[in-house]
Amino acid sequence: MTYVQSSGFVQSEAPGSPQVKERDRMVDMSYLVADEDFYVPPDTVDPGARYHAEPMPPDWTRRDSGAWVHWVPPGSVLVEAGWKVHVASSLADAQCVLSVVSAVCVEAGIQFKHLAGRRTFLLLHGKHGMRMQSGKFCALYPQTEEAARAVMRRLAAELSGISGPYVLTDRRFGDSRCVSYRYGAFRERVRIDGDGYRVHTMLGPDGQEVDDERRPTFQLPPGVPDPFRPEPGAGKSRVPVVLGGYRFGKVLQHSNAGGAYRFTSEDDVPVFVKEAKPHNGYTEDGVDAQTRLNAEYLILRAVHHRAPGLCPRPIELFEHWEHRFLVTEWVAGNTLYHWMISNNPALNIDPTAAAFADYYRRGLAILDQLDAQLRRLHEIGFVFVDLSPNNVFVDDDERVRLVDFEAAQPARAIRAVIGTPGYQHPDPWAAAKEDPEELDRYGLSTLALLLLSPVHEAAERNPQVLDHLHADLTELAPIPPRLWQWATGYRRPAAETVLPTPQAVRDDTIGCLRRLTEQTADALEAMAEPDHPLRVYPTNPSGYQTNTRALAAGTAGVLLALHRAGRPCEPAIVRRLRDEALASAETSAPGLLFGS
């Protein structure tokens, strides 16, 4: 599996649009939540401890749909589009906020939905959640503009003083810090674009179908004015160009927890600014982004006081509007992952043994620097915890700095373990209890493996992979024993031998490939689920976002592979593919790859 550092609920958007670029970066982790082995739609996750809108009138209809619970009053028929009202909440206030919202909706006779449970709340509002969805704890569907205005006034009054995360797709109502709105489709309408992706649409005021764009900014379809907009200058919802005396320079990264930016101080010195949004960016333990930013600032202060230069120099922590900002020195360089990609001879054509020898020498020098810095951090009583390729910077002179101390903690008081897939200790809490420094030693070992080849996930599933990596790299150039030991010291031998040895592959390459073909075909046949409601074979996120039938990521592609492997195709699966393809021909994309 390919891991992307994120998790969140996914919405289908048109490829090429701003929201699709975010989807492409963020979607994979959201599909890794519900199953350890295969990509699964995130709305199949167990919602956890349930939120309850009861007591609800007995004639209201309840409908559970993935992450959401819908409540429909008797005789309610939604209009095509209108003013959606969203109510945001902190994690701690969620159940009480829902009680208020449900009472107001019952009194007004307005259909609404809410997140099903605590776990879905944490995923939607998580550190790597989808920014376009975050903050939407409750969604209301008033049928008219007047009804929308009335219910927003009522909720703003009932929830006065209550705050929630800012909903980026919306505009807040008046002075409320938890009630917001946007214009969009009430009844689901979609079109299929040329790449097979579903694009949300709605009927505009003139009756024409237009895209219901869901970007991380408030926008209106053509011809729809905002009747609730405050007088000019009445609200402050945008971060100014000058923030806390620092001039904006560049966005480095957007995240649901808050962005990372390059600013410039009043004396023209570049600084790094990290943002934390309120009531957002939660981790699994329920800690939000602002709480973690406060802790990071204090850790930086403590580390810098004891060992100046070991961490980015903290400058200040301040608040602007509802957000909190940490300012540190600007650390020059690129991530260790970028350094590896730029310098690893294995990624070049016809690399020489001399090039490998030089690369390994430089890599060991980088690891030695990191080892020394981690030892110094341990000496003063702290552990870094989340040692990953993006938390290590290498400058032009190949000097190394540790950055992003969000997960760093006092070694004697580990309160949380935040890690990066592939680089996190396999049993972090046991290590934290017995020897916290082991978390960093393990992380350093994974970085050594990165410098050779980033095969972390494969090696975790079958350590025999490392035997083949060593054999392949050794054919190009010798690997320094110290580097190999560093990279593999924590990798235990495979409990069961399921791969041929590297020498067996070299002695009978064609025979090994034939066996691999047969084993792969056996696995594909064993994974078939002809009666599964969404797909026959496990697929990837693209399959769920387009369709699970087509050649690109669906049944047709697997059947073609099995056919090429000389396997007969199961008649029931072929019939399902045929029937579903014919039935959906009018709503499928054209073409062979993603189409019908």
Side-chain angles (χ1 to χ4, degrees), residues 9-57:
F9 288 84
V10 176
Q11 54 194 36
S12 300
E13 296 122 355
S17 67
Q19 55 265 54
V20 158
K21 292 177 182 177
E22 179 149 348
R23 179 205 67 210
D24 290 341
R25 289 196 305 270
M26 300 183 70
V27 70
D28 287 357
M29 278 294 278
S30 69
Y31 281 81
L32 293 174
V33 175
D35 193 284
E36 293 184 355
D37 295 310
F38 302 114
Y39 294 106
V40 175
D43 58 8
T44 63
V45 173
D46 179 356
R50 292 273 181 168
Y51 294 127
H52 299 284
E54 286 84 1
M56 295 293 290

Side-chain angles (χ1 to χ4, degrees), residues 189-202:
R189 300 176 67 94
V190 296
R191 67 176 177 85
I192 305 298
D193 70 6
D195 292 320
Y197 286 87
R198 293 181 293 275
V199 180
H200 291 280
T201 65
M202 63 181 169

Side-chain angles (χ1 to χ4, degrees), residues 333-344 389-390 392 394 450:
N334 282 304
T335 66
L336 180 61
Y337 190 87
H338 182 276
W339 184 88
M340 184 275 291
I341 291 293
S342 301
N343 293 280
N344 193 335
N390 291 327
V392 175
V394 184
L450 169 78

Side-chain angles (χ1 to χ4, degrees), residues 236-244 246 248 261 263 275 318 320-321 323 325:
K236 294 182 179 179
S237 61
R238 293 188 177 183
V239 177
V241 174
V242 177
L243 183 67
Y246 302 95
F248 172 76
Y261 312 93
F263 275 71
E275 172 192 30
F318 69 91
H320 179 85
W321 191 51
H323 295 199
F325 297 88

